[in-house]
């Protein structure tokens, strides 16, 4: 007889799961896997239920298109079909609890990539070959699906999601069992089951698979294209953090902006980071020795600026009377377009002071963070350790909308254009007694973004320290009945608006072992985050031994570009390869992500792999290649591969490494590409799938512009490269037009050397209707035209 798992009395989680809009069954039905078959309520479904679909469950094995994903699926696992290529996995328990760990099945002998939280705030990649290699707190698992003697490669993605008010994460054990951890973050919020804890999808293109999966899970967001992009993304910026840390001052800000502008790379975007707010620190007494970590116990006293940014009893020359006077002066003197200021999600690291006149109205309550067992299984974090010791003044959830609106209204009155909001994952640690981590996170996020939309003009927010699925996923996969009862003032149809999120740990200029990790972590994290936000790569120093490494990464990252140089400490040779004289940057089209052949390699510690990051511009592809080996090792990993000196690593690159190149190729593409090497200045012609070798030393990199060669007027083979002296050369090209008179016109921006592949030598060239001389080398068909200094936009015509 086939056993049917009987349902206990409905829990909160069961209600939310049954009313979830993703559930394909009626409200009184569910699928339960038992003894090798699926059951719908009391009716047994035999193994043939997926005859015409890709997902198949048979004899305890889940497979997609004949390729195995899980074996040994336990009886209590629940399978919910969703589409022709996807399912949801969940499980039931005999006991009720706020945290469950369910076994889902075995994974062995398959290449896999995990993205997991190694600290409460941050996520990094890990590759492996079985479930035992999957770390606790994994938020994305990508598995290569390949059968023996099968040359085709497919991919299976496991995405732990939110099921009602419970949040899921993946992990493996020594028995090579894949497990899902389901937790509410509040001992009072309990359930006996999670029916839709993990979304599983299958496809033959890894980046299409991720896009399709995230669109399924977040239908109202459906990718970053549907959100307003803050204007600061396309302008060069400067952040005060690593320049001054908390000792930032108006005088220091002016000095930094002045030195960058005088060097020909004027910032148009400024972040005044930590150090401007009115705070108090009762744990660090003036005149006493510094207490490590005490700054994370400091609390906000009011929403206004501190005395450094206003008149004191004895005014100092050039010090503004209020923050507004400083901001207005900076915009006028340095041509700033955007000024952002930093604040924590809870106001400050230690939250709000409970008794201060300026914060008492928000009813802050001192709470001591409690981390989940998953967070505690990896690295301790100094900031969190301090907050656990000193506590956090948590804003009353009923007052959070008022707090954000008051703060942002005040900032707008001071001529501030936007905010960087930090310490966002703190909510999951203080959610006890507040309905759990999902409920509390949603309430704060919705209030924050409502205030952003009301007070700032162009979605001007950068989110930070929020690399958790609590923040990634939204209301669409939650029960409107349940949420309406616990959060009656939050509109359920409001989707998250924020478009920029930091996807790396901090940039640590003084730590030489983290430079390579930073680049690799952002690239891999962008596989997940890049489908829902513009990944932010953080600031960097332009004068540093890893400066070019970071600069090239930003050039191919499709991200905002901003430094945190100390005043006068700049490398303008590097900056001028990123920033045009008017302060704009050549931002690539998509989030920069690893090439397909890097997905299951470790470019930091395997001792042999280069990291390749691909992107597109309007008319060209771009490929950054980095040697991240030998300069550092991943946190939470025992084995290390370190080499003395600067070891060289060789690898193969190809135009094929750039995904979606056909988007810019068009119908007249020959199938060949012009490939320009920034380091050597050389141009070569290459079929799309042909490879060539690149050799780089540790912390060295190169960037290649790949331009599809097209045939115009049946005889002209041409491919624009762009501004040859910029890292992302092709980002300068904005339009291409071809006339019937054998002339190709390219429109773009920025001055300097413009290059193109031209199979024929032109008769003449002109820039903005003025004939210009050109260089042409028939050996490699490189055409070079100089765009005069001071030219911000141009129309370049090549006539044959």
């Amino acid at each position: 007889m086939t056993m049917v798992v009987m349902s206990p009395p409905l829990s909160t989680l069961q209600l939310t799961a049954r009313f979830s809009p993703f559930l394909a069954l009626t409200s009184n039905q569910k699928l339960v896997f038992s003894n090798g078959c699926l059951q719908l309520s009391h009716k047994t479904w035999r193994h043939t239920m997926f005859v015409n679909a890709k997902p198949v469950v048979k004899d305890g094995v889940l497979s997609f298109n004949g390729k195995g994903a899980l074996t040994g699926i336990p009886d209590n696992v629940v399978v919910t079909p969703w589409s022709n290529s996807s399912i949801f996995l969940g499980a039931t328990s005999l006991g009720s609890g706020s945290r469950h760990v369910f076994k889902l099945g075995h994974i062995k002998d398959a290449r896999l990539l995990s993205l997991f939280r190694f600290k409460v705030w941050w996520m990094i990649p890990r590759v492996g070959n079985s479930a035992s290699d999957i770390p606790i707190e994994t938020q994305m698992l990508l598995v290569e699906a390949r059968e023996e003697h099968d040359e085709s490669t497919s991919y299976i993605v496991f995405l732990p999601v939110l099921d009602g008010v419970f949040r899921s994460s993946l992990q493996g054990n020594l028995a090579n069992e894949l497990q899902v951890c389901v937790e509410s973050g509040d001992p009072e919020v309990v359930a006996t089951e999670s029916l839709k804890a993990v979304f599983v999808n299958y496809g033959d293109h890894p980046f299409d698979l991720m896009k399709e999966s995230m669109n399924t899970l977040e239908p109202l967001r459906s990718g970053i294209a549907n959100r307003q992009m803050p204007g600061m993304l396309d302008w060069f910026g400067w952040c005060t953090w690593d320049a001054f840390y908390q000792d930032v001052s108006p005088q220091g800000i002016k000095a930094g902006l002045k030195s960058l502008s005088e060097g020909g790379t004027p910032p148009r975007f400024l972040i005044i980071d930590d150090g401007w707010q009115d705070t108090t620190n009762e744990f660090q007494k003036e005149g006493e020795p510094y207490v490590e970590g005490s700054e994370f116990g400091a609390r906000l006293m009011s929403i206004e600026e501190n005395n450094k940014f206003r008149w004191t009893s004895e005014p100092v020359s050039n010090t503004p009377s209020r923050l507004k006077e400083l901001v207005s002066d900076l915009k006028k003197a340095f041509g700033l377009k955007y000024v952002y200021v930093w604040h924590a999600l809870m106001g400050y690291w230690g939250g709000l002071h409970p008794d201060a006149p300026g914060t008492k109205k928000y009813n802050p309550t001192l709470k001591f963070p409690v981390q989940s067992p998953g967070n505690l299984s990896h690295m301790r974090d100094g900031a969190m350790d301090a907050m656990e010791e000193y506590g956090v003044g948590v804003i009353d959830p009923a007052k959070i909308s008022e707090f954000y609106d008051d703060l942002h209204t005040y900032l707008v009155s001071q001529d501030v254009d936007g905010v960087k909001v930090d310490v966002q994952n703190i909510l999951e640690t203080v959610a006890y007694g507040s309905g759990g981590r999902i409920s509390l996170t949603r309430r704060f996020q919705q209030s924050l973004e409502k205030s952003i939309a009301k007070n700032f003009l162009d979605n001007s927010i950068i989110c930070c320290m929020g690399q958790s699925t609590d923040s990634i996923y939204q209301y669409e996969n939650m029960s409107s009945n349940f949420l309406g009862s616990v959060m009656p003032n939050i509109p359920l149809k409001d989707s998250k608006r924020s478009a920029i999120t930091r996807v790396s740990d901090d940039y640590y200029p003084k730590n030489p072992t983290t430079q390579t990790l930073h680049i690799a972590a952002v690239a891999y994290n962008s596989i997940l985050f890049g489908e829902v936000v513009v990944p932010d790569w953080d600031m960097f120093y332009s004068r540093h031994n890893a400066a070019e490494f970071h600069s090239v990464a930003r050039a191919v990252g499709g991200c905002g570009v901003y430094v945190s140089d100390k005043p006068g400490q700049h490398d303008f040779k590097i900056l001028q390869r990123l920033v045009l004289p008017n302060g704009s940057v050549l931002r690539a089209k998509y989030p920069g992500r690893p090439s397909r052949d890097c997905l299951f390699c470790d470019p930091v510690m395997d001792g042999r792999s280069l990291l390749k990051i691909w992107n597109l511009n309007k008319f060209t592809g771009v490929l950054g290649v980095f040697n991240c080996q030998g300069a550092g090792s991943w946190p939470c990993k025992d084995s290390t591969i370190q080499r003395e000196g600067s070891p060289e690593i060789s690898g193969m690159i190809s135009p094929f490494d750039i995904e979606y190149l056909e988007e810019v190729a068009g119908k007249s593409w020959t199938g060949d590409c012009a490939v320009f090497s920034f380091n050597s200045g050389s141009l070569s012609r290459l079929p799309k799938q042909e490879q060539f070798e690149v050799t780089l030393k540790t912390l060295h990199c190169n960037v290649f512009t790949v331009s599809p060669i097209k045939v115009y007027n049946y005889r002209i083979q041409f491919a624009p490269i762009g501004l040859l002296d910029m890292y992302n050369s092709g980002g300068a090209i904005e339009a291409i037009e071809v006339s019937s008179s054998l002339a190709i016109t390219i429109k773009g921006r920025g001055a300097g050397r413009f290059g193109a592949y031209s199979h024929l030598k032109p008769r003449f060239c002109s820039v903005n209707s003025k004939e210009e001389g050109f260089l042409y080398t028939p050996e490699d068909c490189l055409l070079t035209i100089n765009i005069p200094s001071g030219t911000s936009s141009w129309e370049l015509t090549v006539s044959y």
Side-chain angles (χ1 to χ4, degrees), residues 234 554-555 577-580 584-588 617 723 726-733 749-750:
D234 295 313
R554 274 56 170 193
R577 296 169 177 174
L578 278 172
V579 186
L580 297 179
S584 65
V585 295
L586 305 180
R587 188 165 66 93
N617 298 300
L723 294 179
M726 304 295 288
Y727 290 128
N728 183 22
S729 304
I733 304 170
R749 57 196 177 96

Side-chain angles (χ1 to χ4, degrees), residues 135-150:
I136 293 173
E137 275 292 314
T138 287
Q139 300 191 126
M140 188 207 81
L141 174 65
L142 185 66
V143 180
E144 184 182 56
R146 184 195 293 267
E147 294 296 324
E148 191 174 357
H149 310 303
D150 184 357

Side-chain angles (χ1 to χ4, degrees), residues 249-255 258 307-312 314-327 329-330 333-334:
S249 68
Q251 294 83 3
I253 293 174
K254 290 181 179 181
K258 184 174 185 290
N307 285 337
K308 288 188 295 182
F309 290 85
R310 65 172 66 188
W311 285 112
T312 61
E314 296 180 1
V316 180
S317 176
N318 296 323
T319 300
S321 59
R322 295 304 296 261
L323 181 62
K324 179 174 184 177
E325 280 66 33
L326 171 67
V327 174
D329 184 41
L330 295 177
F334 300 105

